[in-house]
Every structure is written in structure tokens, then in C-alpha cells.
Amino acid sequence: MFPAANHTTVSNSLLAEVATSGTFPDPALFVYSVLATLVLGFLLVGYVISQRPLAQ
């Protein structure tokens, strides 16, 4: 699919292709959006776990 020999080049090519083909025309905006989504997800999971009563 990609004329690349190593895994890093293929990963970077795939990331650039996904970032430029969708809603996010800027690859940096795509990366920051993914990171922000992960951070919010971890915060949400932490909040849900902290609100659940502990079994005794």
C-alpha cells in the first residue's frame, strides 16, 4: 500500500493520510484532538470510578 520499508515511515504516512483526508486539514490539529479526547476519556473514567461505592 505504501512504498516504505520501515514501520515508522508507514505509521507516519498513515497518520498524515488520515489527518489530511478527513475533517482535520492540519495534522497537528488532528493529533491534538486525539490527545484531548484521550485525556477527557481518562478523566471521565476516573470520575466514574471515584463515584462508585467501594465493596466492603
Side-chain angles (χ1 to χ4, degrees), residues 31-50:
V31 171
Y32 289 137
S33 298
V34 170
L35 290 176
T37 302
L38 288 174
V39 167
L40 288 175
F42 283 126
L43 289 174
L44 182 63
V45 167
Y47 175 75
V48 168
I49 289 173
S50 69

Side-chain angles (χ1 to χ4, degrees), residues 5-41:
N6 61 15
H7 181 69
T8 304
T9 305
V10 173
S11 296
N12 288 341
S13 297
L14 286 172
L15 179 62
E17 181 68 28
V18 170
T20 56
S21 67
T23 309
F24 303 99
D26 183 19
L29 181 62
F30 173 74
V31 171
Y32 289 137
S33 298
V34 170
L35 290 176
T37 302
L38 288 174
V39 167
L40 288 175

Side-chain angles (χ1 to χ4, degrees), residues 49-56:
I49 289 173
S50 69
Q51 296 299 316
R52 191 173 59 188
L54 298 174
Q56 294 183 6

